[in-house]
Every structure is written in structure tokens, then in C-alpha cells.
Amino acid sequence: MTDSRDAIRDVMMRYARLTDLADHDAVGEIFTHGPFRSSLGASHAGAQMAANRKQRILVHDGSPGTRHMTTNIMIDVDEEAGTARARSYFTLFQATPTMRLRLVGSGRYYDQFERIEGEWWFTDRLSMLDTRGDLTQHIRGYEIGELPYDVEVLGPPLEEVPPMPVPDEVHAAVETLIFTYAERIDLGDFEGAGEVFAHGGRQHGMDGTPLGGPALAEALRGGFRMHDGSPRTKHVTTNVLIEPDEEAGTATARSYFTVTLATPDLPLQIIAAGRYHDSFERVDGVWRFRSRTILLDHRGEIEHHVPPGSALLR
């Protein structure tokens, strides 16, 4: 299953790289067996997708100037059926001859895959642009709206997005647990975030108060600012280093996090960056969180997300 997961991850990364190279024909080939559906309204596959992108994606001195960072990847494989599904985040940066490097979008991918003649292929991708900045130099005909997130996100409702299953293999399990917490937070599913730490606690700083389960859910609900019913954040989690002890049934991990946010009063930007120090345990064959320490290294406009005095910062 690890080989399948790696192959699927490669397909996802190939899409981002080919898109940033403006190799639209190759991108179309990746979607030979299913459509790319966008929250901006488009749904295309194959040659039609390539033609649409050639028409809509702007090129500056031979390059779109974009970088599609794909992170927080969770993959669920059904080897017997030859199918898989995945969820991930994308963070879109762009620089052009007339625009300095900036964050111009962030969102989610919900993917379906099928193994065809021994190779994994996209059979469906739903791309949800949750928050956007200035896309006028990326998409032809784009006009800036009144809000930084004035798009109708066509993603499924929360009740149709349960947490992904935790794999058996330690590295995949640890990554899934780490990314599940970020997903639940960003969906505003605070009960789900609390359940991730049902058997342990997460704390802010080395001397913080560990919170887990219902206590964490309550603190999240009361400690985060909501904007039109959503935190409007993306907890982009990268640089995951995992040290397993299979014999003891434990593991530790360290990772980086970068939080993006857009609200009616705050243009899309990075508001915080830091590190997670995590520990895990395997109980009855199932991996779960044991602890997390959050080390906040850099602060931006974080008060738009966590107000001063929040229990989450104690």
C-alpha cells in the first residue's frame, strides 16, 4: 500500500509542477480518465481541459509565475478495488514582471483515483478555492470582488467530510493524524479536533496547559474568531520528520506549520508560523495522538484568528 500511496502522491505533485510550467497539454493528459472540477465553475478533462487552460491562464515572459504548494496530503487506498481517494491543501504563490511575490490563493483538493493497467490516474478532482487574493495576473478575465473570499465554494458539507481513516503503517498514520487535526480546525469542526486528542493533550508552549477531548473542543470553540461561520484559515503543515519505535508502539514527530487567513477586514496573508512537537502511541493496533506542543515562532496579524487572552494561548 505504501507503493500505491507514493505513486498517488507523485501524480498529485506532477499536476502542480506541470501547471506551474504551463504545460497544459500534459496537465490535460493527467485528467484523461476524469474531470477537474473547480469551485470557480469549470469542469473539464483531457484535451478540453488543456484548451481551456491555454485560453484562461495568463503567461508572463513564457511562465505563469505561479507555485502550487501541495501539502497536508491524506490518502486512503483500496488495493483490492484498485481505487483511492485523497485530500490535500494547496497554497498558491505568484510573481510576475509587474507583481512582487505574493500569496494569491489557498484551498483544498478532494481527489478520486483509479489504477488502470497498473498505473494510478485521476478520475475526479474537486478544487475548492477557499480564500483568494489578487488573481488578475493569473486568470484571464478575473475581477477582484468585494471580499477576499467572495467565491461560492462547491465543496461537500461538513457532515459529508468525516475524518479520513488512519492507516496501519506508522509513517502514513502519523501524517494522517497530523493533517486531520489541521483539517478539522480549518473546517470549523472543533468537536472533531477534540476527538483527535481524545487520548492526549495539545498545549501552547512548553509550559502551556494540555487540553484534549471535549475540553479542547470547548476551548477551540470559544478561543477562535469565526468569520461568516468559518475560521477562514489554512494550517499548512510541512517538514514532517517522524521517528518511530515499532517495538514500543510509539513514535515522535516534528513539523512546521504556517497559517493563512483572509477575512472581510484582512486580505489573504500568512498570520503565524511555528513548529509542532508531537508524540504518538499504538493501542490495540491503532495509532493515536499522545501529546502535542505548539511552538509559535512568528506572529503576523494573528489576533484576527486567536484574540488576546484566549485559553488556547495559555
Side-chain angles (χ1 to χ4, degrees):
M1 188 177 295
T2 300
D3 291 342
S4 292
R5 186 174 282 107
D6 289 343
I8 290 167
R9 189 188 301 265
D10 286 348
V11 174
M12 298 170 73
M13 296 303 180
R14 194 179 311 131
Y15 165 80
R17 184 170 181 79
L18 292 172
T19 296
D20 293 332
L21 291 172
D23 191 345
H24 303 308
D25 290 324
V27 171
E29 290 177 4
I30 291 178
F31 286 89
T32 297
H33 300 282
F36 179 103
R37 298 180 292 128
S38 169
S39 61
L40 296 179
S43 178
H44 301 288
Q48 183 187 42
M49 180 180 182
N52 177 265
R53 294 202 164 202
K54 290 176 184 178
Q55 180 182 13
R56 296 204 65 197
I57 302 299
L58 294 171
V59 176
H60 311 271
D61 292 343
S63 169
T66 55
R67 288 295 179 270
H68 286 71
M69 291 179 54
T70 310
T71 63
N72 296 52
I73 298 174
M74 297 182 286
I75 301 171
D76 180 31
V77 181
D78 186 333
E79 290 285 0
E80 184 176 351
T83 60
R85 59 192 178 117
R87 297 180 195 160
S88 59
Y89 284 0
F90 67 88
T91 309
L92 178 59
F93 293 88
Q94 186 181 32
T96 73
T98 59
M99 183 178 77
R100 299 181 65 180
L101 178 64
R102 66 182 65 176
L103 175 62
V104 297
S106 67
R108 295 165 283 161
Y109 294 134
Y110 287 4
D111 298 328
Q112 300 288 335
F113 300 88
E114 185 176 343
R115 188 169 51 218
I116 300 173
E117 297 182 353
E119 295 187 17
W120 287 98
W121 293 84
F122 279 109
T123 54
D124 184 75
R125 163 164 278 186
L126 175 59
S127 172
M128 289 163 282
L129 182 61
D130 294 318
T131 52
R132 59 180 176 176
D134 184 357
L135 293 172
T136 57
Q137 296 198 44
H138 180 45
I139 301 175
R140 191 182 308 278
Y142 172 84
E143 295 182 2
I144 298 176
E146 295 180 358
L147 296 174
Y149 52 87
D150 59 344
V151 292
E152 181 183 1
V153 178
L154 302 179
L158 181 60
E159 57 268 20
E160 296 181 12
V161 191
M164 294 281 272
V166 178
D168 296 330
E169 194 274 325
V170 58
H171 288 83
V174 166
E175 286 189 342
T176 297
L177 287 166
I178 290 172
F179 299 149
T180 295
Y181 176 77
E183 178 189 60
R184 295 294 107 186
I185 289 290
D186 297 331
L187 288 174
D189 179 12
F190 301 136
E191 284 71 24
E195 289 175 4
V196 175
F197 283 94
H199 304 282
R202 45 80 82 201
Q203 65 188 61
H204 179 78
M206 301 302 293
D207 299 321
T209 302
L211 295 172
L216 175 57
E218 182 179 357
L220 292 169
R221 194 180 303 109
F224 281 160
R225 294 189 189 277
M226 302 293 280
H227 309 275
D228 294 343
S230 169
R232 293 293 175 183
T233 53
K234 284 290 175 289
H235 285 69
V236 179
T237 314
T238 61
N239 298 56
V240 181
L241 297 174
I242 302 168
E243 295 187 10
D245 187 334
E246 291 277 10
E247 184 176 350
T250 60
T252 60
R254 295 186 178 184
S255 57
Y256 286 177
F257 68 87
T258 306
V259 184
T260 67
L261 176 69
T263 76
D265 302 316
L266 186 75
L268 179 61
Q269 60 190 266
I270 296 170
I271 62 165
R275 293 163 287 152
Y276 295 137
H277 288 189
D278 300 328
S279 68
F280 306 84
E281 60 185 0
R282 185 176 56 214
V283 178
D284 296 329
V286 179
W287 286 96
R288 65 192 193 189
F289 259 109
R290 188 164 63 186
S291 68
R292 159 166 286 180
T293 299
I294 302 173
L295 303 172
L296 181 60
D297 297 321
H298 304 290
R299 294 171 179 253
E301 302 287 342
I302 194 172
E303 63 273 9
H304 291 265
H305 176 45
V306 185
S310 168
L312 297 171
L313 299 178
R314 300 171 192 162

